[in-house]
Amino acid sequence: MIDFRYHLVSLIAVFLALALGIVLGAGPLNEPLGDQLTGQVEELREDRDRLRTELEVSEAEVEQRDQFIDELAAATLGSRLEGRAVATVVLPSANSDDVADVRLRLEQAGATVTGQVQVTEEWTNPDSAAFRSSLAGQILGYLDPVPADGAEPGVILGTALGQALTRSDAEGAPTADARTLLELLADAGLVEVVDDPTQAANATVVIAPRSEETGPEESMEPADLETREQRLAEEVELVRGLAETGEGSVVAGSAATALDLVSAIRADSTAVETVTTTDSVSEITGRLNVPMALAVAISGEVGQFGVGADATAAVPPAVYLSPPASPQPEETADGAEGSTEDTGDTGGDAGTTEDETADAA
């Protein structure tokens, strides 16, 4: 059994150690320890200042690079989309600066931006899936051409939106059915018309959110992750439908995480064969890729451009398009000429790449 003498000896040992530490700390070890700690603090302060300077230099270089690219943009884009009308489709949470800059780059490439549609959260709401499926069945009668048998409701609705923006009469204005389609989608709460198209578009551009808006997969709760994946699947069906309308379509977004739309398209064996994408929408380089990628899509090719995962090329190839064909009246059943009801594919030659032009020369 431990007696009082054991506790007494233990207490004495503790106090002796404390006294020894005080004596040594205040005496022979005081100066070396103080000097060592002071030196470490100085080194940390110098590292902090150096890193701050490097960050400022890096930010200045990026700003100068972006300014340089911006000044070259008009000359680089040239007239790739001359004579084309392009409608923009904006997905929920897309950055307004990205939308504005993509529109600017399209105009610098010679396109006329006609119409802007904001897709609402209801388009991808899992709780509204039954309603959207019913609407897709009702809207089929207004589509020409009609999607293939067995097409998913999301693809049908995406086709409807595309035809609403691209079907034109003989004067190039949206047809009556095109306006009806847009009204039906708006009345259903699936889209909001931000800029009413007075001219039918030849092609469409979809602008998706940046990665920071979708969030990394590992930081989401299981229920939130499941909902995001369901919404993502609906977005993929939407752009698949859009890609089947007009002369072509491009999706501009991010490809940094699996929850980004561009990543989902590139991972989908069906979508990747029909939908052209560009990533890095938050960067000026990614936004400059949009009109160039659209020219590729109009030429009949499909590509995945940028520096994100599964991109096939950093920059789209140079494609030079022929002017789009003007809408022509179509003949009715009795041989009389009538207004063209649908010019979803508004014509225009497939276009040639820079290499093909060189070979022809």
Side-chain angles (χ1 to χ4, degrees), residues 12-355:
I12 293 173
V14 169
F15 283 115
L16 284 175
L18 180 59
L20 181 62
I22 292 173
V23 171
L24 291 175
L29 295 181
N30 180 29
E31 187 172 346
L33 285 174
D35 292 343
Q36 184 177 5
L37 291 173
T38 301
Q40 291 176 348
V41 169
E42 288 296 329
E43 289 179 4
L44 291 173
R45 185 177 291 112
E46 291 174 359
D47 288 343
R48 180 204 63 191
D49 294 340
R50 176 177 54 81
L51 292 173
R52 178 183 293 138
T53 300
E54 290 178 355
L55 177 61
E56 291 173 351
V57 170
S58 178
E59 290 176 342
E61 290 176 345
V62 169
E63 183 176 352
Q64 292 170 0
R65 181 208 66 181
D66 289 352
Q67 182 180 357
F68 177 76
I69 294 173
D70 184 48
E71 293 179 0
L72 286 178
T76 301
L77 296 174
S79 56
R80 295 171 189 265
L81 298 176
E82 192 70 37
R84 256 78 185 181
V86 181
T88 52
V89 177
V90 182
L91 296 185
S93 300
N95 186 282
S96 59
D97 290 339
D98 296 343
V99 176
D101 200 59
V102 166
R103 289 172 63 100
L104 171 63
R105 305 310 169 187
L106 291 169
E107 291 171 349
Q108 286 181 328
T112 299
V113 179
T114 172
Q116 179 171 311
V117 173
Q118 175 69 56
V119 175
T120 70
E121 295 281 357
E122 279 304 301
W123 191 295
T124 59
N125 185 356
D127 296 334
S128 304
F131 166 73
R132 292 195 301 274
S133 179
S134 174
L135 178 63
Q138 298 169 15
I139 217 167
L140 276 173
Y142 294 96
L143 301 183
D144 184 18
V146 176
D149 291 341
E152 298 91 335
V155 174
I156 295 173
L157 293 176
T159 302
L161 178 58
Q163 291 191 13
L165 296 171
T166 61
R167 288 171 63 174
S168 66
D169 59 21
E171 286 72 39
T175 65
D177 276 355
R179 292 193 177 281
T180 299
L181 285 169
L182 194 55
E183 289 174 3
L184 288 172
L185 293 172
D187 291 343
L190 301 185
V191 301
E192 295 175 359
V193 180
V194 178
D195 181 10
D196 190 22
T198 57
Q199 177 183 357
N202 300 98
T204 55
V205 169
V206 180
I207 305 167
R210 299 180 178 185
S211 293
E212 53 262 36
E213 298 296 336
T214 57
E217 184 175 350
E218 58 272 12
S219 68
M220 302 183 72
E221 296 294 330
D224 294 335
L225 177 59
E226 181 181 3
T227 299
R228 175 55 192 154
E229 289 174 340
Q230 291 173 339
R231 288 184 178 273
L232 197 56
E234 294 291 340
E235 290 174 355
V236 172
E237 291 183 3
L238 163 61
V239 298
R240 282 176 54 200
L242 277 170
E244 299 300 324
T245 63
E247 289 185 311
S249 184
V250 166
V251 178
S254 296
T257 76
L259 298 179
D260 290 321
L261 177 56
V262 171
S263 299
I265 293 169
R266 293 173 179 177
D268 187 292
S269 59
T270 301
V272 75
E273 296 296 329
T274 58
V275 182
T276 295
T277 66
T278 65
D279 60 51
S280 306
V281 70
S282 61
E283 302 291 335
I284 188 172
T285 49
R287 297 191 289 263
L288 279 177
N289 269 353
V290 174
M292 293 190 286
L294 186 57
V296 172
I298 292 173
S299 76
E301 300 295 327
V302 176
Q304 316 302 325
F305 304 110
V307 295
D310 298 320
T312 55
V315 180
V319 174
Y320 300 91
L321 301 169
S322 301
S326 300
Q328 298 295 326
E330 63 181 13
E331 290 189 358
T332 60
D334 59 4
E337 288 188 349
S339 295
T340 302
E341 183 63 19
D342 175 19
T343 56
D345 182 357
T346 51
D349 295 341
T352 58
T353 64
E354 189 173 32
D355 293 339

